[in-house]
Amino acid sequence: MPGTLYLCATPIGNLQDMTPRVVETLQTVDVIAAEDTRNSIKLLNHFDIHTPMTSYHEYNKVEKARQLIAQLQSGQNIALITDAGTPAISDPGEVLVRMCHESHIPVTSLPGPAACITALTLSGLPTRRFCFEGFLPADKKEKKQVLEELADESRTMILYEAPHHLVRTLEELYDTLGNRKITLCRELTKKFETVMPTSLEMALEYYKNEEPRGEYVLVIEGKSFEEKRMEEINSWENMSIEEHMAYYENKGMDSKTAMKQVAKDRGVGKREIYAYLNM
């Protein structure tokens, strides 16, 4: 009989969020596969867990998954943990889970903290319909495509971002989505937890003077159904360039950004729009 893979959620900040079931499972499995053993040993020591660990991360996720599958097939039980939160969400654990299903190995999840859900519930934005994007792609072409898709998204959107990329990402979101509502969350469940409901424009203004610190969860409002309906009615072909400019400026864009978007919508160069407006 094969063993079982246990997906064990660990605290995203506050150690009191560790569930008794996860502690018991980590104490009784044969092996713990951890994203970063140097980080996870602190957690295990805190809860007096002495189970052997092995590393499982983004850079060995396929080769190491094969080894873990072999151990599971031999009857060993394995727990998978990430640095913080729920494994397999924006995490290499998804590869191991898929390979377990392909090999008919039982997988079960021990639920617990997830930064994306915690931030969503704190955001003050609609929670009935939402989508999770994780980190935006590093590849510029792929990132542009994802941002363009998000521009038309009507659900609340959740993204992760590192502090050194935050301002650039806010700029890209503002350029693509316009001045949407956003809630920035950091240090979730910790002593200095920060939840900042604002707009993309105000967030950019704030971080011009304030250095971003810590990992961020960005919760962004989706495009309203009314806005989508108006876009269908007011297709660009039926609008003058002045009306087209006013549409974006009313959404909070400055004239330069609006001009760039108008040119993009109409499939012409920005210089053509500038020349027309300054005739």
Side-chain angles (χ1 to χ4, degrees), residues 69-86:
I69 291 293
Q71 290 175 252
L72 287 159
Q73 287 174 327
S74 72
Q76 291 190 20
N77 292 316
I78 297 176
L80 178 67
I81 61 175
T82 183
D83 279 351
T86 300

Side-chain angles (χ1 to χ4, degrees), residues 50-120:
H50 305 286
T51 305
M53 275 195 297
T54 188
S55 64
Y56 179 75
H57 48 72
E58 181 65 29
Y59 302 104
N60 71 353
K61 62 185 178 183
V62 176
E63 180 183 351
K64 192 57 174 281
R66 294 193 184 102
Q67 296 176 30
L68 295 174
I69 291 293
Q71 290 175 252
L72 287 159
Q73 287 174 327
S74 72
Q76 291 190 20
N77 292 316
I78 297 176
L80 178 67
I81 61 175
T82 183
D83 279 351
T86 300
I89 297 180
S90 197
D91 174 81
E94 65 177 307
V95 174
L96 180 57
V97 172
R98 182 176 67 250
M99 292 176 69
C100 281
H101 289 315
E102 291 170 352
S103 301
H104 307 290
I105 292 170
V107 181
T108 190
S109 178
L110 282 62
C116 54
I117 299 300
T118 303
L120 175 65

Side-chain angles (χ1 to χ4, degrees), residues 21-34:
R21 185 182 173 208
V22 169
V23 172
E24 181 182 4
T25 299
L26 294 180
Q27 288 172 335
T28 56
V29 294
D30 297 291
V31 178
I32 297 171

Side-chain angles (χ1 to χ4, degrees), residues 116-227:
C116 54
I117 299 300
T118 303
L120 175 65
T121 58
L122 290 171
S123 69
L125 294 171
T127 61
R128 187 178 71 84
R129 300 171 64 251
F130 61 91
C131 65
F132 174 65
E133 190 62 42
F135 289 94
L136 290 173
D139 180 78
K140 290 183 178 180
K141 186 176 180 181
E142 187 180 355
K143 183 196 291 186
K144 181 181 178 183
Q145 182 178 346
V146 170
L147 287 169
E148 288 175 352
E149 290 175 358
L150 291 179
D152 203 45
E153 177 60 67
S154 61
R155 295 171 294 179
T156 299
M157 297 164 277
I158 308 170
L159 278 70
Y160 289 161
E161 193 50 274
H164 54 287
H165 290 152
L166 179 66
V167 173
R168 183 185 67 190
T169 295
L170 290 173
E171 289 173 342
E172 291 169 337
L173 288 168
Y174 180 77
D175 288 345
T176 309
L177 277 59
N179 193 25
R180 302 275 186 92
K181 291 179 182 177
I182 181 173
T183 298
L184 296 92
C185 302
R186 58 180 292 274
E187 297 292 293
L188 289 171
T189 77
K190 299 179 184 178
K191 183 178 180 180
F192 298 106
E193 175 179 278
T194 302
V195 179
M196 180 180 167
T198 183
S199 67
L200 282 168
E201 183 178 26
M202 294 300 292
L204 276 170
E205 186 66 27
Y206 178 81
Y207 282 108
K208 284 180 182 178
N209 304 307
E210 188 76 20
E211 181 184 359
R213 294 182 179 180
E215 299 295 320
Y216 285 80
V217 185
L218 311 179
V219 187
I220 310 154
E221 74 169 334
K223 180 181 286 187
S224 69
F225 289 119
E226 177 63 21
E227 187 177 3

